[in-house]
Amino acid sequence: MIDLLIMSKLDTKRANTLSNNIQLLMEKSDLTIEGMAEFVSISKATVNRALLRLSNISPSIVLEIADSFGLTSNELTDKPLKMTDHISSLDKLLIFKEKNKSNFSLFKSESEKHNAQLFVKSQLLEDDYFKSERRMKEIIERIRQSPKFQSKFTKSALEQSVKRILLEEEFFIVPRKSPNGKVFYYKVIA
């Protein structure tokens, strides 16, 4: 029983390094969370868990991510990445981009999600409703009720924006999650 508790404890240093390095890879490769999942052939939930530093990502998944970008797993988990200039010219990435060029949700530069993120951020900061703990579903419902809401912002775009804001901004946190770890509660602290 003690071994299970020790094994399940989050390695925060490794999780922080991995999260920062994945964010850098996504930025250099112009991939959204969905794009990263598709490119590496892992689930979006796994990408989210890694980005949000919520669990230890298995060594096999870390190796899949590293291999996809021509790196070693140690380069992703041990220290901040320095050599990333090669990423945008990787054959595998170029082929992926060509094959999926009409799927705008995979690429940050082409995605409506970037504009959705600005909208979501302004809503989070303007509405006191978000100063209390809220589930993702509640946040999306409230944002969609805004008079400034545009129908071009899909539910997925809004969700990804909330997750990206959580990663990038200090005013937005996850103070707790459900006992089974599947439901997260978000909150504005400002």
Side-chain angles (χ1 to χ4, degrees):
M1 180 69 165
I2 293 174
D3 289 339
L4 290 175
L5 290 173
I6 292 170
M7 287 177 54
S8 65
K9 186 175 180 175
L10 179 65
D11 180 346
T12 54
K13 183 179 182 219
R14 180 182 181 268
N16 286 334
T17 303
L18 182 61
S19 174
N20 292 336
N21 286 339
I22 289 175
Q23 288 178 62
L24 179 62
L25 290 174
M26 290 171 60
E27 179 184 318
K28 294 290 184 177
S29 61
D30 190 36
L31 295 174
T32 62
I33 291 172
E34 186 177 337
M36 180 68 139
E38 187 82 20
F39 177 64
V40 178
S41 297
I42 57 177
S43 71
K44 286 195 310 187
T46 299
V47 176
N48 281 324
R49 280 195 327 272
L51 289 172
L52 296 173
R53 305 164 180 100
L54 297 174
S55 66
N56 293 316
I57 304 302
S58 75
S60 62
I61 298 286
V62 172
L63 183 59
E64 286 181 49
I65 296 168
D67 283 347
S68 296
F69 290 96
L71 302 167
T72 66
S73 55
N74 286 346
E75 287 177 294
L76 282 183
T77 59
D78 291 351
K79 58 186 177 192
L81 283 174
K82 299 222 186 290
M83 304 296 281
T84 57
D85 292 341
H86 74 285
I87 291 171
S88 60
S89 61
L90 285 171
D91 287 341
K92 180 180 177 182
L93 182 61
L94 294 173
I95 291 167
F96 176 79
K97 285 182 174 185
E98 182 60 30
K99 179 181 170 188
N100 295 289
K101 64 182 171 188
S102 63
N103 188 348
F104 299 137
S105 67
L106 300 178
F107 308 106
K108 285 183 180 183
S109 62
E110 299 294 325
S111 177
E112 70 181 8
K113 294 178 184 178
H114 188 69
N115 291 332
Q117 183 174 341
L118 297 174
F119 168 70
V120 170
K121 183 177 177 180
S122 70
Q123 293 302 299
L124 291 173
L125 290 170
E126 292 171 9
D127 191 342
D128 286 342
Y129 175 81
F130 301 112
K131 290 185 178 181
S132 298
E133 292 180 4
R134 305 290 179 193
R135 295 175 305 163
M136 178 68 77
K137 180 180 178 182
E138 295 168 320
I139 292 171
I140 300 307
E141 286 174 6
R142 180 70 170 211
I143 288 173
R144 290 180 127 179
Q145 293 171 4
S146 168
K148 298 177 186 175
F149 175 75
Q150 299 175 33
S151 60
K152 72 177 184 175
F153 297 144
T154 65
K155 180 181 175 189
S156 175
L158 297 174
E159 288 176 1
Q160 294 302 321
S161 296
V162 168
K163 291 173 184 172
R164 199 173 295 127
I165 290 168
L166 180 66
L167 291 171
E168 297 173 358
E169 303 290 344
E170 293 182 10
F171 73 86
F172 196 54
I173 62 169
V174 174
R176 71 181 175 103
K177 56 184 176 178
S178 65
N180 65 6
K182 293 186 178 180
V183 178
F184 298 96
Y185 294 86
Y186 303 85
K187 181 180 178 181
V188 170
I189 54 165

